Amino acid sequence: MKQILKQLETMRETARQGGGARRIEAQHAKGKLTARERVDLLLDEGSFEEFDMFVEHRATDFGMADQKVPGDGVVTGWGTINGRMVFVFSKDFTVFGGSLSSAHAQKILKVQRQALKMGAPIIGLFDAGGARIQEGVDSLAGYADIFLENTLASGVIPQIAVIMGPCAGGDVYSPAIMDFIFMVKDTSYMYVTGPDVVKTVTHEDVSHEDLGGYRVHAMKSGVADGAFENDLEAMTQVRRLVDFLPTSNRERPPVRVSFDEAEREEPSLDTLVPANPNKPYDMKELILKVVDEADFFEISPDFAKNIICGFGRLDGQTVIDSSRKAARFVRFCDAFEIPLVTFVDVPGFMPGTRQEQGGLIRHGAKLLFAYAEATVPKITIITRKAYGGAYDVMSSKHIRGDLNYAWPTAEIAVMGSKGAVEIIFRNQTAEELVAREAEYKERFANPFVAAARGYIDDVIMPHGTRRRIVRGLRSLKGKTLSNPWKKHDNIPL
Ligand code: HXC
């Protein structure tokens, strides 16, 4: 018996060594942690239960029969984050470059299926070279099986991907279906084909970083929802995000004890909006002053910066502050019963050929659709401009906003005053137009016309914003609203 126990421990130790000391050293030299070190940082101490430590691939071609490493390049299992269950898979780059074999895919599928059954989030840590080249079509089959599970789990459990090294070929599509993708600066890159293949096919010389580094995806393409300095920060921040989320669509988001007074007033908000309507101000300051303990997890902070979205809590309860880039985000929140709090200062859709040729109509429709179909509590506060389409789209009363407030500084009109008078008084002189503009501003650039129609429920003092939102959310706890039965909708993709 003792002998067997000893043998088990030896086998475990071999599996823990992954691709061996030399490759682990190389991993560290690149500033990266190993698959297991990452899992240890992500989960509560001692909570990790590993599955399939002894799984090996079954390939024989290309001399693979003699090259077997227990675990086969991915560490899988479950553990807890602040006491709540999550499932994890963590690619081990030290074993065949983290590449995906049939056996490796089976391990991931096991945790995906278990997470869906248990109603717990799944977190994938990616550091891999794509399909295991030696396995051919079996590897492709494994990927497709994983994509299917990702799709079925979408909207049922939160799915989070963290790219912590290369993420190439088949590996990119599982994160792409998941809810959030984060990267690690300077050590991670995501692309369908790497620089070598690009060179062969298009003769273009490009670095890993310029093809798929965090600057590409967190700033330009919008594929990633954020980038962190290093592995440690990435794991810490994912823990923070998970804390805002429900474990599945069967559960409510976690309510945390908050020491931040619901009644807290913020007198500085009364002077936040500058007198000059063209002068910007810091919307993030408003968010930080309103949410509990100024704790706000921002999504995509470096992409489409004119719109801020992320998670915060009000009265201990998770909500979001939403935006156009976040049609996706609004849908995530609706799927997981997270109320939407929307602050509006939007002068309308950006005009121009670039926008129109880029499909502004279809993209704008995404947000409109997302807000209109959302049935979670929706509170809207117009702080300054809500012109034209922006007024309608940004969670207005007309698309089932539950509580719609405006600050006294709000300007609710079909369009900006200059553009408006130039159209309706086309034949008038420049001086006349100036007078007309002042008249138009006086008439429309305020919240009271909308309030007189009941489109705005109340014009509120900025300093009382937090109190009004908290009371609003409490009043909406019992909200029930459902959409007509359908197989699924056809969101304007
Ligand atoms: C098997 C692989 C591998 C792969 C890497 N390795 N990728 N083994 N299959 N796909 C192995 C290497 O042989 C090496 O083994 C070890 O992992 C480390 O790789 P290096 O190349 O030495 O590391 P590095 O220089 O850091 O380069 C990392 C890399 C590169 C950029 C990821 O390895 C690479 O370009 N790999 C191929 C990427 C790719 O094109 N994959 C196929 C995509 S097609 P040793 O023993 O030396 O340590 C695909 C189709 C699916 O995925 C589509 C589904 C939709």
Side-chain angles (χ1 to χ4, degrees), residues 19 22-23 30 32 64 67 93-100 127-135 139-140 143-144 147 166-173 189 191-197 208:
R22 182 175 59 80
R23 291 194 184 86
K30 288 182 195 150
K32 302 195 293 181
M64 287 300 278
Q67 296 182 52
F93 188 75
T94 70
V95 179
F96 308 116
S99 59
L100 184 130
D127 186 357
R132 176 97 39 98
I133 292 163
Q134 298 90 334
E135 288 217 7
S139 169
L140 300 185
Y143 273 123
F147 304 154
C167 181
D171 271 310
V172 301
Y173 283 107
Y189 27 89
Y191 35 62
V192 173
T193 54
D196 295 344
V197 178
H208 292 279

Side-chain angles (χ1 to χ4, degrees), residues 309-375:
C309 61
F311 298 96
R313 281 196 180 81
L314 280 156
D315 203 18
Q317 210 195 132
T318 304
V319 293
I320 83 148
D321 185 313
S322 176
S323 70
R324 185 174 63 177
K325 82 178 161 197
R328 216 179 117 65
F329 197 50
V330 167
R331 297 189 92 218
F332 175 85
C333 292
D334 192 48
F336 291 103
E337 290 298 330
I338 299 172
L340 296 157
V341 175
T342 306
F343 294 106
V344 186
D345 183 356
V346 186
F349 289 113
M350 180 84 169
T353 36
R354 247 190 68 204
Q355 315 298 324
E356 295 293 356
Q357 288 174 7
L360 172 66
I361 296 172
R362 176 76 35 99
H363 291 310
K366 287 178 183 147
L367 187 63
L368 172 57
F369 193 104
Y371 268 124
E373 74 170 346
T375 57

